Amino acid sequence: MEGNQSWITEFILVGFQLSEDIEVLLFCIFSLLYIFNLLANGMILGLIWLDLRLHSPMYFFLSHLAIIDICYASSNLPNMLENLVKHKKTISFVSCTMQIVLFVTFAGAECLILVVMAYDRFVAICHPLQYTVIMNWRVCVVLVIATWACGFSLALVHLILFLKLTFCGPQEVNHFFCEILSVLKVACGDTWINEVLVFAGGVFVLVGPLSLMLVSYMRILSAILKIQTKEGRRKAFSTCSSHFCVVGFYFGIAMMVYLVPDNSQREEQQKILTLFYTLFNPLLNPLIYSLRNAQMKAAFNKALQKKRTI
């Protein structure tokens, strides 16, 4: 076995077994969705930057969510689009490793920034009088730095263990990008430490944060029901329901992919779930936070009016 091992230079991404015509069609659809993702999240960043009314902790965290979504989609979609249009399936070992690192970093950061946003809403609704004291700018910056640091640290541990593996063939990765579990399946030798780390990381960034958010939303719901005015209850429900939709979609799919026991019959289903997770979730965030948020709509209308006057 030892004599057959060699340092490979590229992997073959199996992806979806489709005809060239279908691949071209998917290239057009996915390209439009990717461009819309960049424009929508870019619009959120621009509105938050330009409108002083949006310079608050809630929108500070939302701006980082938009940055994560842009980077998250950009970490693997451009390569997938290139493979679709050129009908090639190869990716270099270095590019594959970078995809794993970036994917883990941004996926972990997104999970944790959603927890921070839930905490911000919890403080705003359950402790409104102390909100400006608790969620001061120093605390906000520390929470964001901790979010990015945790995502990067988790990716760094995965990288160190991944580089210790050897690959002796076959080089075919049954996915449309270098998803870590799929790449581990083509490694030689024992990968149980890597698999345990993936599961432990999933518990850390999925189960733990989701549990905290559920507790927060139970407290928030209790506080909302105590609000006397109908308008106050409507505003609180509108803000929290938007965030809860994002959390449910994101965490639900991620837990199905990384925490449900794997088997060969679920591989195609996992690829489809990961496609939704990678392509549609970054689109969902700007749609929900812009269409269901009165302040974001007001900022957008204000920006349009300024453009017309110019």
Side-chain angles (χ1 to χ4, degrees):
M1 182 68 181
E2 192 71 21
N4 292 330
Q5 291 182 356
S6 60
W7 183 267
I8 64 171
T9 58
E10 64 181 20
F11 292 103
I12 299 172
L13 299 174
V14 175
F16 299 101
Q17 302 294 329
L18 302 169
S19 66
E20 291 189 358
D21 292 337
I22 298 297
E23 286 187 341
V24 171
L25 177 62
L26 289 179
F27 168 78
C28 296
I29 296 173
F30 292 166
S31 295
L32 290 175
L33 292 175
Y34 178 54
I35 292 171
F36 183 75
N37 166 33
L38 298 179
L39 292 176
N41 283 292
M43 180 193 72
I44 286 180
L45 287 173
L47 291 176
I48 293 173
W49 177 267
L50 294 173
D51 199 318
L52 294 177
R53 294 173 299 177
L54 302 182
H55 290 188
S56 66
M58 174 182 172
Y59 295 101
F60 175 66
F61 298 136
L62 180 58
S63 67
H64 281 271
L65 179 63
I67 293 172
I68 291 170
D69 281 335
I70 291 173
C71 297
Y72 183 56
S74 300
S75 66
N76 50 61
L77 281 178
N79 179 261
M80 183 182 73
L81 293 174
E82 180 185 3
N83 289 348
L84 286 173
V85 73
K86 291 184 177 180
H87 311 296
K88 73 180 185 70
K89 304 292 183 180
T90 58
I91 182 172
S92 69
F93 182 86
V94 174
S95 297
C96 185
T97 305
M98 285 301 300
Q99 276 195 358
I100 292 174
V101 172
L102 294 175
F103 180 81
V104 174
T105 299
F106 298 130
E110 178 145 2
C111 291
L112 297 175
I113 200 70
L114 289 173
V115 178
V116 171
M117 293 174 71
Y119 176 69
D120 173 69
R121 292 300 85 205
F122 166 74
V123 176
I125 294 173
C126 297
H127 304 283
L129 298 179
Q130 292 85 31
Y131 178 74
T132 54
V133 176
I134 297 173
M135 298 302 295
N136 60 70
W137 282 109
R138 181 180 178 182
V139 170
C140 294
V141 171
V142 169
L143 288 173
V144 166
I145 292 175
T147 293
W148 284 99
C150 286
F152 179 74
S153 299
L154 185 62
L156 184 61
V157 176
H158 278 292
L159 175 64
I160 293 171
L161 292 178
F162 178 77
L163 292 178
K164 291 182 178 180
L165 297 175
T166 53
F167 298 85
C168 53
Q171 302 172 13
E172 292 186 349
V173 176
N174 190 18
H175 219 289
F176 57 87
F177 75 102
C178 284
E179 194 272 331
I180 186 165
L181 287 177
S182 299
V183 177
L184 290 178
K185 291 177 181 177
V186 302
C188 300
D190 198 352
T191 60
W192 73 271
I193 296 179
N194 303 75
E195 292 170 2
V196 167
L197 179 61
V198 171
F199 183 81
V203 172
F204 173 69
V205 299
L206 293 174
V207 178
L210 184 59
S211 301
L212 293 173
M213 282 187 282
L214 290 176
V215 172
S216 297
Y217 277 110
M218 289 175 64
R219 295 283 301 275
I220 288 172
L221 180 61
S222 176
I224 288 175
L225 294 175
K226 294 178 182 178
I227 297 176
Q228 299 296 323
T229 63
K230 184 178 179 180
E231 178 63 22
R233 286 197 300 270
R234 187 199 64 78
K235 186 177 180 181
F237 267 121
S238 177
T239 302
C240 294
S241 61
S242 299
H243 188 254
F244 196 74
C245 287
V246 173
V247 167
F249 187 85
Y250 188 86
F251 280 80
I253 294 179
M255 292 176 74
M256 290 175 65
V257 172
Y258 291 101
L259 299 182
V260 175
D262 189 23
N263 60 69
S264 58
Q265 296 178 348
R266 292 187 64 248
E267 287 185 345
E268 294 303 314
Q269 296 176 1
Q270 286 184 333
K271 282 194 284 187
I272 295 173
L273 287 173
T274 308
L275 183 63
F276 275 91
Y277 188 78
T278 306
L279 187 62
F280 294 103
N281 193 70
L283 288 173
L284 183 68
N285 292 343
L287 286 176
I288 288 178
Y289 284 111
S290 59
L291 295 178
R292 293 181 58 85
N293 189 296
Q295 286 182 299
M296 288 295 296
K297 288 189 285 187
F300 181 71
N301 292 331
K302 182 179 178 182
L304 285 180
Q305 290 175 357
K306 281 186 176 180
K307 186 176 181 181
R308 288 171 183 171
T309 55
I310 293 175

